[in-house]
Amino acid sequence: MNITVFLGAPGSGKGTQAKRLAESKGFRHFSTGDMLREAIKAGTEVGRRAKSFIDKGELVPDATMIEIIESALAALPKQARVLLDGFPRTVPQAEALDKKPSTQVNRAIYFMIPEAQLIQRLTGRRVCEKCGEPFHVLNLPPKVAGICDKCGGKLMQRSDDAEDVVRRRLQVFAGQNDQLLSYYSQAAKLSKLDADKPVETIQNDLMRLLHD
Ligand code: AP5
């Protein structure tokens, strides 16, 4: 497998870019946040356990997350090109991927963005309740207010995009980020991407990075 991981703060644009790359370049895209939200919607045991962490802006325990991602990757063909968005978030999660030869990470891309932008991006985010496509009330508005351009679904606000939860998510991210960046930098797998640019420009920068 060829595995690229997207690292970056909540709201840095990982999901927006991962969805575009998956559609245009055929990557298999796994967003652990989306997987957890689906589990909550479906009322599974994992979903019930995860909800209390997500609602508070805390991380779901490593053991649960590692199990989720390992079973998703185990179902893929050996030659799959994979994008992980939102995993790993801690060094133990990164180590779990690298422990198995078949899931070793090839490249980590860090979305860099000033923190001041993140609150505005997250509190203005709206997502399609049917297909998960992200929009933004100002930066990336849908053609018709409240309706997804892609599938016509209704747009909603994620409960963890309330400002108090966003602030906690940013604190939690800051507590893990340096160690995770060091982990991939020491392994010579880290690339940094300026994520404070228009969506299309970042998409082109990413394509170039992935071809290097
Ligand atoms: P998750 O869903 O992964 O949330 P996150 O990492 O906090 O990331 P976001 O989805 O908020 O941001 P993003 O970088 O994808 O930004 P987006 O592209 O949407 O996780 C949610 C929760 O699940 C966690 O808090 C945790 O509890 C749990 N969890 C998940 N994975 C876990 C793990 N591995 N371990 C433990 N717990 C885990 O963009 C944001 C907004 O900005 C959008 O409105 C978009 O339209 C806009 N935008 C995007 N790009 C641009 C641009 N270039 N210019 C202007 N606006 C832009």
Side-chain angles (χ1 to χ4, degrees):
M1 250 179 276
N2 186 303
I3 301 183
T4 298
V5 299
F6 281 179
L7 310 175
S12 57
K14 305 177 300 292
T16 300
Q17 296 298 335
K19 283 190 173 67
R20 287 171 180 237
L21 264 179
E23 275 164 24
S24 63
K25 295 287 164 195
F27 282 89
R28 305 292 297 259
H29 167 214
F30 295 94
S31 152
T32 41
D34 287 348
M35 291 158 100
L36 292 169
R37 283 182 287 276
E38 276 158 27
I40 293 172
K41 222 169 160 182
T44 65
E45 175 53 29
V46 167
R48 271 194 294 277
R49 271 189 280 138
K51 189 172 183 328
S52 60
F53 294 97
I54 294 179
D55 286 350
K56 286 186 279 196
E58 303 295 337
L59 292 182
V60 175
D62 285 338
T64 305
M65 297 314 304
I66 290 168
E67 205 181 314
I68 290 175
I69 213 74
E70 281 183 350
S71 73
L73 295 180
L76 294 181
K78 281 199 185 106
Q79 68 280 13
R81 292 201 305 159
V82 177
L83 269 183
L84 297 182
D85 145 26
F87 187 99
R89 270 175 146 95
T90 63
V91 170
Q93 292 182 14
E95 287 170 343
L97 283 175
D98 285 338
K99 237 182 252 163
K100 286 193 187 164
S102 61
T103 61
Q104 276 174 2
V105 167
N106 296 77
R107 161 165 247 167
I109 299 181
Y110 176 51
F111 285 54
M112 291 187 306
I113 181 156
E115 194 180 322
Q117 297 266 358
L118 296 171
I119 305 260
Q120 186 265 9
R121 280 200 188 182
L122 290 169
T123 52
R125 172 167 54 187
R126 300 292 181 270
V127 290
C128 175
E129 63 180 13
K130 244 163 94 185
C131 73
E133 184 70 12
F135 294 87
H136 189 279
V137 289
L138 300 175
N139 307 344
L140 212 63
K143 290 186 187 117
V144 180
I147 303 293
C148 176
D149 292 351
K150 265 178 75 185
C151 76
K154 218 170 117 192
L155 302 187
M156 43 87 80
Q157 185 170 28
R158 271 171 47 177
S159 58
D160 63 343
D161 280 346
E163 190 167 336
D164 54 335
V165 186
V166 164
R167 290 191 187 278
R168 179 61 194 149
R169 284 162 62 202
L170 293 174
Q171 276 175 355
V172 168
F173 166 77
Q176 301 290 338
N177 188 42
D178 287 350
Q179 295 161 57
L180 204 51
L181 292 184
S182 299
Y183 178 88
Y184 285 115
S185 163
Q186 276 164 22
K189 291 180 179 173
L190 184 69
S191 305
K192 293 186 177 177
L193 178 80
D194 179 357
D196 189 13
K197 291 181 181 175
V199 170
E200 280 72 24
T201 311
I202 298 170
Q203 197 177 348
N204 291 333
D205 292 349
L206 257 177
M207 300 271 200
R208 272 194 296 276
L209 252 182
L210 288 168
H211 275 102
D212 282 350

